[in-house]
Amino acid sequence: QVQLVESGGGLVQAGGSLRLSCLVSRSIVSINVIGWYRQAPGKQRELVASITSGGLRDYADSMKGRFTISRDITKNTVYLQISRLKPEDTAVYYCNAIWYRGESKYDDWGQGTQVTVSS
């Protein structure tokens, strides 16, 4: 199992920015995909962005432009930078790791970090 610990959430005014961190319990280059998801009240969890073990980034179409995923391999940490925050960005943001051992696929989640954007 991989442990993921998110941090960096909080209460921010619209127009501001935040950087969320996801600390991973082992080398992130050994994990096939690490993704950031979010879940707003009353809504389904949705993908924001992901990064592969090789460093390839991908974004959900609706998230392109204000969200940037990055990583620091030396710190086993994946970041999500959010700029020009909007009230509709209010959600719990989760980190997810997908990895394989042999033919078995594993899917681990962090506990989430709350982001609240005030208008």
Side-chain angles (χ1 to χ4, degrees), residues 6 46 49 56 60 69 76-77 86 96 106:
E6 302 94 334
E46 61 178 345
L56 294 176
I69 190 169
N76 288 336
T77 301
K86 304 176 181 180
N96 169 259
Y106 297 86

Coordinates of all heavy atoms in Angstrom, one line a residue, residues 6 46 49 56 60 69 76-77 86 96 106:
E6 N -2.2 14.7 1.8 CA -2.4 16.0 1.2 C -2.3 17.1 2.2 O -2.6 16.9 3.4 CB -3.8 16.1 0.5 CG -4.0 15.0 -0.6 CD -4.8 13.8 0.0 OE1 -4.6 13.5 1.2 OE2 -5.5 13.1 -0.8
E46 N -14.1 14.1 -9.3 CA -13.7 14.3 -10.7 C -12.2 14.5 -10.8 O -11.6 15.0 -9.9 CB -14.4 15.5 -11.4 CG -14.1 16.8 -10.7 CD -14.8 18.0 -11.4 OE1 -15.2 17.9 -12.5 OE2 -14.8 19.1 -10.8
A49 N -6.0 16.5 -12.6 CA -4.8 16.4 -13.4 C -4.1 15.1 -12.9 O -4.3 14.6 -11.8 CB -3.9 17.6 -13.2
L56 N 4.9 12.6 -17.6 CA 3.9 13.1 -18.5 C 2.7 13.6 -17.8 O 2.2 12.9 -16.9 CB 3.5 12.0 -19.5 CG 4.6 11.5 -20.5 CD1 4.1 10.4 -21.3 CD2 5.1 12.7 -21.3
A60 N -7.8 17.3 -17.1 CA -9.1 17.2 -17.6 C -9.4 18.5 -18.4 O -8.9 19.6 -18.1 CB -10.1 17.2 -16.4
I69 N 0.0 20.7 -12.5 CA 0.6 19.6 -11.7 C 2.1 19.5 -11.9 O 2.6 19.7 -13.1 CB -0.1 18.3 -12.1 CG1 0.2 17.2 -11.1 CG2 0.2 17.8 -13.5 CD1 -0.6 15.9 -11.2
N76 N 9.6 13.2 -3.0 CA 8.4 12.3 -3.1 C 7.1 13.0 -3.0 O 6.1 12.6 -2.3 CB 8.5 11.1 -2.1 CG 9.5 10.1 -2.5 OD1 10.0 10.0 -3.6 ND2 10.0 9.4 -1.5
T77 N 7.0 14.2 -3.6 CA 5.9 15.1 -3.5 C 5.3 15.5 -4.9 O 6.1 15.8 -5.7 CB 6.2 16.3 -2.6 OG1 6.6 15.9 -1.3 CG2 5.0 17.2 -2.5
K86 N -11.8 30.3 -8.1 CA -13.2 30.7 -8.2 C -14.0 29.9 -7.1 O -13.6 28.9 -6.7 CB -13.7 30.2 -9.6 CG -13.0 30.8 -10.8 CD -13.5 30.2 -12.1 CE -12.8 30.7 -13.3 NZ -13.3 30.2 -14.6
N96 N -4.3 10.6 -5.6 CA -4.5 9.2 -5.9 C -3.3 8.6 -6.5 O -2.6 9.2 -7.3 CB -5.7 9.1 -6.8 CG -5.9 7.7 -7.4 OD1 -5.5 7.4 -8.5 ND2 -6.4 6.8 -6.6
Y106 N -3.1 -1.6 -8.0 CA -3.4 -1.0 -6.7 C -3.8 0.4 -6.9 O -3.3 1.1 -7.8 CB -2.2 -1.1 -5.8 CG -1.8 -2.5 -5.5 CD1 -1.0 -3.3 -6.3 CD2 -2.4 -3.2 -4.4 CE1 -0.6 -4.6 -6.0 CE2 -2.0 -4.5 -4.1 CZ -1.2 -5.2 -4.9 OH -0.9 -6.5 -4.6

